[in-house]
Amino acid sequence: MTKRTPYRRVLLKLSGEAFSDPAVQGGIDPTIVRRVAEEVAELKESDGTELGIVVGGGNIFRGNSPAAAGMDRSSADQMGMLATTINALALQDALEKAGVQTRVQTAISMQQFAEPYIRRRAMRHLEKGRVVVFAAGLGAPYFTTDTTAAQRALEIGAEAILKGTQVDGVYDRDPNQHSDAVRFEHIDFLAVLNKGLKVMDATAISLCMDHGLPIIVFELLRAGNIRRVVRGEDVGTIVHAAPTGSGAA
Ligand code: UDP
């Protein structure tokens, strides 16, 4: 198993659901966005960790959702990419109000709103202590922001992907439906794929597996959790490469 260590540079993946009140489902709840921003601000202040953030858009629009029924998939996905940009701007505002210097970079040029994605510039921002929020996914349809997270994490040399969710890790079954569901402390990539566990989509998992990039799935809104994960504490579930000669979880 991958021993946890403190991380110096990480990629935080926030799904669209991280922006909305679970009771309401959808839209942006400013109180929740502020809580996320405050957690990030505390991390920056206490540990100085370099942080890139990929935001999803599912709270507003997904290219494969019923709201897109009958639409050309590429057009629907473009709407999804715009949705991620709306979330990115909300997060930037909240982060800056919490005292964190933030740059948004979009995979599709919208230069009146944000910088275009330029890897070297993103790296420079990170080195200067700024948080970089990556918006508009990969800029291409038929992808997800999970895959974007894997791609950007590799590009910026992040040591791990932190996948913040509403549950505290990866379970063998849906913990909301099965009270006896068991949480994995650690599990390897192949087991995630073989068991069809909902960690990230298969493209994202494959990319992480091919490059040995660990994913830590953890409960986003538990106070101090982002910091605990970054410090290498046993929080949530770590998805990692199988030890050589073993295919077991
Ligand atoms: N999307 C896309 N290409 C990308 C990333 C995202 O076309 O590289 C679109 C796609 O329609 C997707 C939507 O943006 O459904 C929102 O992203 P995602 O579903 O990953 O958001 P999340 O589930 O994380 O909220």
Side-chain angles (χ1 to χ4, degrees), residues 40-56:
V40 170
E42 277 173 26
L43 171 73
K44 287 298 293 177
E45 187 142 320
S46 59
D47 296 40
T49 313
E50 294 180 12
L51 191 71
I53 304 179
V54 166
V55 289

Side-chain angles (χ1 to χ4, degrees), residues 12-228:
L12 177 65
K13 164 70 207 295
L14 298 177
S15 295
E17 69 179 20
F19 290 80
S20 57
D21 179 345
V24 176
Q25 289 196 348
I28 296 177
D29 182 322
T31 313
I32 293 189
V33 181
R34 206 175 309 130
R35 273 178 68 191
V36 174
E38 280 163 7
E39 290 287 312
V40 170
E42 277 173 26
L43 171 73
K44 287 298 293 177
E45 187 142 320
S46 59
D47 296 40
T49 313
E50 294 180 12
L51 191 71
I53 304 179
V54 166
V55 289
N59 56 322
I60 300 171
F61 197 83
R62 279 202 182 94
N64 61 358
S65 67
M71 276 190 80
D72 175 76
R73 176 65 189 263
S74 298
S75 300
D77 278 342
Q78 286 173 343
M79 291 173 67
M81 289 184 253
L82 287 173
T84 73
T85 310
I86 294 174
N87 285 333
L89 295 178
L91 183 62
Q92 179 180 39
D93 184 82
L95 284 169
E96 298 234 306
K97 289 208 166 76
V100 181
Q101 282 199 35
T102 307
R103 298 290 184 271
V104 174
Q105 292 201 343
T106 55
I108 292 177
S109 289
M110 311 183 202
Q111 292 194 41
Q112 282 78 2
F113 290 174
E115 295 177 7
Y117 173 63
I118 298 172
R119 178 181 161 271
R120 284 175 184 279
R121 191 185 280 186
M123 305 279 273
R124 189 85 188 105
H125 288 320
L126 294 173
E127 286 159 12
K128 286 187 167 176
R130 297 171 187 144
V131 166
V132 183
V133 181
F134 298 106
L138 289 170
Y142 298 99
F143 286 103
T144 65
T145 52
D146 279 350
T147 304
T148 309
Q151 167 83 19
R152 293 287 184 255
L154 291 167
E155 285 185 273
I156 65 169
E159 294 147 336
I161 294 178
L162 275 50
K163 166 113 177 159
T165 66
Q166 288 169 357
V167 288
D168 61 350
V170 181
Y171 283 77
D172 60 347
R173 282 173 292 171
D174 183 347
N176 293 320
Q177 287 179 17
H178 302 272
S179 57
D180 58 345
V182 176
R183 181 171 65 84
F184 297 97
E185 279 179 27
H186 60 94
I187 186 166
D188 68 64
F189 293 113
L190 263 186
V192 166
L193 290 175
N194 290 339
K195 292 178 200 282
L197 298 173
K198 289 200 179 94
V199 176
M200 302 214 291
D201 61 74
T203 312
I205 297 287
S206 302
L207 203 50
C208 292
M209 181 166 70
D210 287 351
H211 298 277
L213 179 68
I215 305 163
I216 297 148
V217 182
F218 70 103
E219 189 180 351
L220 179 67
L221 286 180
R222 184 177 291 255
N225 245 8
I226 300 180
R227 244 184 315 171
R228 282 186 207 107

